[in-house]
Amino acid sequence: MTDRGGSHDHHPTTEGLAASVDLLTDDDVQLALFLMYELHYGGLEDVSDSWEWDPRPLAVRVPIERECEFEETLRRSVRQPVATRGVPEALFALVGDDGSPGLSAFVERDATAAQVREILACRSIGRCSACTGGAYAARSSATSPHTR
């Protein structure tokens, strides 16, 4: 795959694929898939970005994924987790009370002056972004003596 020149009349990788006994444990197949996927995810050093959609690596990848049923074989081999609770319940448990002090207790007891300034700056920015023009106008008109 890293050969950058010339054309090939045969595809040694697809010939090797046919000779593979087990796609999941064949190191050559796994390395080939890794490299072909990496062309999409981040590219490879010294390999042109044009290889991402080059038909030659795709001609090798497609038979591995489809004709050899790689994904189906992988799914059958790996036990799938079973959800024991719903997403909301899991999220609340994840962010639930972990016994550590809250932000206000941390600021009161342990925060440095620099940390307090950072917290105040972040909260100020958050307050400003919540004050959209429409919200400001609604508040202003509610308190304005001209709207009564």
Side-chain angles (χ1 to χ4, degrees):
M1 180 163 81
T2 58
D3 177 21
R4 289 183 218 124
S7 64
H8 303 284
D9 294 334
H10 68 287
H11 297 282
T13 308
T14 53
E15 292 168 6
L17 179 61
S20 177
V21 176
D22 184 1
L23 295 175
L24 296 180
T25 60
D26 187 318
D27 290 340
D28 292 332
V29 172
Q30 294 302 310
L31 178 60
L33 274 175
F34 173 80
L35 291 172
M36 287 183 281
Y37 287 140
E38 190 60 26
L39 289 172
H40 293 287
Y41 293 128
L44 296 167
E45 189 174 327
D46 296 330
V47 175
S48 170
D49 289 341
S50 66
W51 273 74
E52 180 178 3
W53 295 108
D54 188 287
R56 291 171 290 185
L58 292 174
V60 174
R61 194 179 91 196
V62 169
I64 294 172
E65 293 175 337
R66 292 190 186 142
E67 296 168 21
C68 298
E69 299 178 346
F70 176 76
E71 186 176 340
E72 290 78 14
T73 304
L74 185 61
R75 286 184 187 278
R76 284 192 301 270
S77 300
V78 177
R79 195 180 72 124
Q80 298 294 311
V82 177
T84 58
R85 57 186 170 191
V87 173
E89 182 182 345
L91 288 174
F92 282 118
L94 183 66
V95 298
D97 185 21
D98 63 357
S100 63
L103 181 61
S104 59
F106 170 77
V107 169
E108 180 182 357
R109 296 181 196 141
D110 302 313
T112 65
Q115 289 171 324
V116 172
R117 283 192 296 275
E118 181 70 18
I119 291 168
L120 292 173
C122 290
R123 289 197 170 208
S124 296
I125 292 169
R127 300 262 188 245
C128 289
S129 65
C131 295
T132 62
Y136 178 77
R139 271 197 313 263
S140 296
S141 64
T143 59
S144 171
H146 300 295
T147 59
R148 290 188 191 148

